[in-house]
Amino acid sequence: MEHIKVLIVGSGPAGFTAAIYTARANLQPVLYEGIEPGGQLTTTTEIENFPGYPEGVDGNQMMADLRRQAERFGTDIRSGQITRIDLSKRPFHVTVDGTTELEAEAVIVATGASAKYLGLPSETKFRGQGVSACATCDGFFYRKKDVAVVGGGDTACEEATYLASLCRKVYMIVRKPFLRASKAMQERVFRTENIEVLFEHNTVEVLGDDSGVTGALLRRADGEERTIDISGFFLAIGHHPNTELFAGQLDLDAEGYIRTEPGTSKTSVEGVFAAGDVKDPHYRQAITAAGSGCIAALDCERFLLK
């Protein structure tokens, strides 16, 4: 059975940053890309808020750059998905794609969190062309335009008020006859003049053409349909951390995010570290993920030197 020092699970900014640092520390990291090589950023057309790219950068290009940098220092990057992992004792026993067996002295979990979508074919079609799950990432592209936010919780209200500071008009599409957000967030929404809350509305279809999103077809609870003209369609109905593999083995919070010791990447199992969105229900930015990947690598290095 193959024995490796550091196994990195996930290939987003957190995973690749952890790989760069552990490789430079001569820990011979092996990184498995998982089912979505490059992570969520590969669905983003342009990133303008990552330091070091003054003209912005395509999401796929940035992930290709990170991959090359990790490989340059000797990271062994492999395609494949970790399908089973036993964290009950070290070295940890790992199964890849249901067949390949290996063992690892330390593990860095960087499996990310997936945004929840409505499941509409048109939503998939226009992802990255007007459909987004991150207002902070993409709101800048819709300055002085009309957009919609789907959701009625705190995140949706935060996204809507943020977009309202940039956009001409923001529609909030809310399934229920009320907002689930905290009272303070609700008040902020209702005080913002260019936010219109559409209660008891569901999205039937995202509309668009070759240039991207142009509108949305909505249906009210009473069956009446209407079309709104928008350039951006933002999902804010939650994220799902990719932690199924670690359920029952690592300490997770109520939403499934990995809990870590404050100020560190250390999980409830010695020798297992977490980085990126899989442990971050609040910020979910490429730069914070990369930073936490660095922390995980340094924590891992110190652990292995003990």
Side-chain angles (χ1 to χ4, degrees), residues 160-232:
T161 51
Y162 171 76
L163 288 165
S165 68
L166 300 169
C167 302
R168 186 172 59 186
K169 178 157 189 171
V170 178
Y171 295 97
M172 282 191 73
I173 304 168
V174 184
R175 217 165 28 93
K176 298 181 183 293
F178 56 86
L179 293 174
R180 292 181 294 104
S182 63
K183 203 71 179 167
M185 287 306 304
Q186 291 188 43
E187 288 172 1
R188 195 183 303 175
V189 164
F190 293 132
R191 279 201 311 266
T192 307
E193 290 184 4
N194 60 333
I195 296 178
E196 181 181 345
V197 184
L198 304 175
F199 288 113
E200 295 188 275
H201 278 74
N202 280 295
T203 306
V204 178
E205 210 66 75
V206 181
L207 309 174
D209 55 28
D210 291 344
S211 65
V213 170
T214 59
L217 176 62
L218 310 180
R219 182 179 294 135
R220 247 178 23 188
D222 61 9
E224 184 179 324
E225 293 188 348
R226 65 175 289 191
T227 299
I228 55 173
D229 295 326
I230 53 172
S231 300

Side-chain angles (χ1 to χ4, degrees), residues 41-234:
L41 286 189
T42 56
T43 66
T44 303
T45 49
E46 192 165 6
I47 300 161
E48 293 196 327
N49 55 4
F50 198 96
Y53 293 98
E55 304 303 321
V57 61
D58 176 83
N60 282 285
Q61 182 60 54
M62 192 174 94
M63 295 319 300
D65 289 345
L66 280 170
R67 181 192 176 97
R68 275 202 312 275
Q69 192 172 359
E71 286 178 319
R72 176 188 163 203
F73 295 115
T75 303
D76 182 351
I77 299 174
R78 303 177 183 178
S79 59
Q81 184 181 4
I82 307 298
T83 49
R84 187 176 178 279
I85 187 165
D86 181 359
L87 302 178
S88 61
K89 63 181 186 297
R90 291 182 59 236
F92 306 116
H93 187 267
V94 181
T95 307
V96 183
D97 293 330
T99 55
T100 306
E101 308 276 325
L102 54 88
E103 55 184 21
E105 293 179 40
V107 176
I108 295 175
V109 182
T111 48
S114 304
K116 294 178 182 175
Y117 287 85
L118 298 173
L120 304 172
S122 55
E123 184 186 47
T124 305
K125 178 181 177 182
F126 293 110
R127 199 173 297 180
Q129 288 185 288
V131 172
S132 170
C134 182
T136 311
C137 312
D138 299 326
F140 181 80
F141 300 114
Y142 301 95
R143 284 185 305 166
K144 299 184 176 163
K145 295 181 179 180
D146 296 350
V147 300
V149 174
V150 181
D154 279 330
T155 300
C157 289
E158 284 176 17
E159 303 261 278
T161 51
Y162 171 76
L163 288 165
S165 68
L166 300 169
C167 302
R168 186 172 59 186
K169 178 157 189 171
V170 178
Y171 295 97
M172 282 191 73
I173 304 168
V174 184
R175 217 165 28 93
K176 298 181 183 293
F178 56 86
L179 293 174
R180 292 181 294 104
S182 63
K183 203 71 179 167
M185 287 306 304
Q186 291 188 43
E187 288 172 1
R188 195 183 303 175
V189 164
F190 293 132
R191 279 201 311 266
T192 307
E193 290 184 4
N194 60 333
I195 296 178
E196 181 181 345
V197 184
L198 304 175
F199 288 113
E200 295 188 275
H201 278 74
N202 280 295
T203 306
V204 178
E205 210 66 75
V206 181
L207 309 174
D209 55 28
D210 291 344
S211 65
V213 170
T214 59
L217 176 62
L218 310 180
R219 182 179 294 135
R220 247 178 23 188
D222 61 9
E224 184 179 324
E225 293 188 348
R226 65 175 289 191
T227 299
I228 55 173
D229 295 326
I230 53 172
S231 300
F233 184 82
F234 290 86

Side-chain angles (χ1 to χ4, degrees), residues 3-7 22 25-28 90 92 104-108 271 273 297-306:
H3 182 92
I4 60 178
K5 280 187 181 177
V6 179
L7 170 69
T22 51
N26 200 31
L27 297 177
Q28 293 103 40
R90 291 182 59 236
F92 306 116
E105 293 179 40
V107 176
I108 295 175
F273 308 89
L298 295 175
D299 286 343
C300 181
E301 181 184 1
R302 289 173 189 141
F303 169 76
L304 292 172
L305 285 173
K306 281 195 303 187

Side-chain angles (χ1 to χ4, degrees), residues 18-31:
I20 290 164
Y21 273 78
T22 51
R24 282 171 54 82
N26 200 31
L27 297 177
Q28 293 103 40
V30 173
L31 181 150

